[in-house]
Amino acid sequence: MQLTIFESKEELALNFARHFIQIIADNNELHVALSGGSTPGIVFQALAERYASGVDWSKVHIYWGDERAVPPTDVESNYKMAFETLLGRVLVPEQQIHRIRGEEPPEEEAMRYSRVLRENLPLTHGIPQFDLVLLGMGDDGHTASIFPDKIKLWYATENCVVARHPESGQERVSITGKLINNAREVAFLVTGSNKAQKVREVIRKEEGYDRYPASLVAPHTGALRWYLDWEAASGLISA
Ligand code: 6PG
């Protein structure tokens, strides 16, 4: 595991954007799963502002780690956020953008998207393999849309499952731990003081840490990189 702490969200975003562009340069094609959330959103902005040109975006195949059960025009849609901050501003070929269809019945879409992943991603040990998975972490320790109250979904045998936000009840489609831990690289993008306690518990594996889905992210052979700002890392500094 590699952990890097940045002065600000903006510095984190610029550094991760640079890393992302290097991965594109180093690969003939890149299969990446995007995340929802405010920190990923800042990263997408930085990518579009700095790297819309001069990068071969035709190498990139875009997927999502999770999506809310809403239409792509809904303010809650992870696709809408990614399109407005990044995908509407860079030249990723449309047929390489594999949206989770939040407007479809979630159970049907989870099955359809499981097939999309199986048919479009390279397989290792029969499991679809992303080159890169971006993750955020909720202040409850959830990641993608696997929440602590239904942590067993992490261990599902399917590629995708239907999850439900524990407070709002909003349904989601989410990839499972099987895919996340099969990735060549996983990047946690976490900022804000409200995450500090969970970051500390998860990174330091403190008592009870394994009840948080974020603590289960441990790529079998791939790299795990935490990108934190000082606020989110503040719990790691104190004794
Ligand atoms: C989602 C995201 C989710 C998000 C975390 C962190 O669809 O909500 O995939 O896992 O990354 O909730 O979100 P923030 O970075 O906004 O705190």
Side-chain angles (χ1 to χ4, degrees):
M1 176 210 293
Q2 181 186 341
L3 187 149
T4 312
I5 303 171
F6 298 93
E7 282 295 328
S8 67
K9 295 181 182 183
E10 291 71 25
E11 192 198 349
L12 182 157
L14 285 179
N15 274 271
F16 182 76
R18 202 174 297 135
H19 175 61
F20 187 95
I21 295 306
Q22 188 57 54
I23 297 175
I24 296 176
D26 293 347
N27 289 276
N28 294 325
E29 59 179 18
L30 181 70
H31 296 276
V32 54
L34 303 184
S35 168
S38 58
T39 308
I42 298 166
V43 168
F44 301 161
Q45 293 270 19
L47 279 167
E49 283 158 10
R50 299 225 168 200
Y51 299 106
S53 58
V55 172
D56 186 358
W57 288 97
S58 71
K59 292 180 173 181
V60 181
H61 300 252
I62 299 281
Y63 307 81
W64 274 261
D66 65 329
E67 181 58 276
R68 290 81 179 278
V70 296
T73 52
D74 190 296
V75 67
E76 281 281 301
S77 164
N78 287 342
Y79 167 81
K80 176 180 168 67
M81 183 274 279
F83 185 81
E84 290 174 349
T85 53
L86 176 62
L87 299 177
R89 302 161 70 183
V90 296
L91 296 176
V92 175
E94 197 172 337
Q95 67 275 19
Q96 292 174 200
I97 298 177
H98 305 278
R99 181 174 70 83
I100 298 176
R101 297 172 184 168
E103 68 277 23
E104 299 296 335
E107 290 295 347
E108 289 172 25
E109 181 56 14
M111 286 190 284
R112 186 195 73 86
Y113 206 67
S114 290
R115 280 197 308 275
V116 167
L117 297 174
R118 195 168 54 248
E119 291 166 2
N120 288 278
L121 292 177
L123 300 178
T124 58
H125 317 297
I127 301 170
Q129 182 173 58
F130 285 108
D131 296 298
L132 175 63
V133 173
L134 306 189
L135 294 175
M137 184 187 74
D139 53 13
D140 62 353
H142 83 259
T143 194
S145 278
I146 309 292
F147 292 90
D149 68 329
K150 291 282 187 313
I151 197 166
K152 65 180 183 312
L153 288 175
W154 177 269
Y155 302 99
T157 53
E158 296 85 351
N159 294 336
C160 295
V161 290
V162 176
R164 186 184 290 274
H165 192 287
E167 280 137 37
S168 68
Q170 183 188 61
E171 287 190 295
R172 285 65 180 312
V173 172
S174 179
I175 62 174
T176 54
K178 184 174 88 167
L179 266 69
I180 292 171
N181 284 341
N182 196 43
R184 292 177 60 205
E185 178 171 339
V186 177
F188 260 122
L189 308 172
V190 184
T191 59
S193 56
N194 61 318
K195 309 292 173 72
Q197 176 62 30
K198 288 294 179 298
V199 164
R200 174 192 173 117
E201 290 182 59
V202 168
I203 298 277
R204 288 189 174 176
K205 299 190 186 312
E206 291 183 347
E207 172 66 27
Y209 77 100
D210 52 358
R211 63 179 184 268
Y212 306 131
S215 72
L216 303 176
V217 176
H220 305 308
T221 56
L224 173 57
R225 294 190 167 89
W226 285 80
Y227 291 75
L228 303 170
D229 69 352
W230 274 113
E231 287 189 1
S234 56
L236 296 173
I237 316 302
S238 51

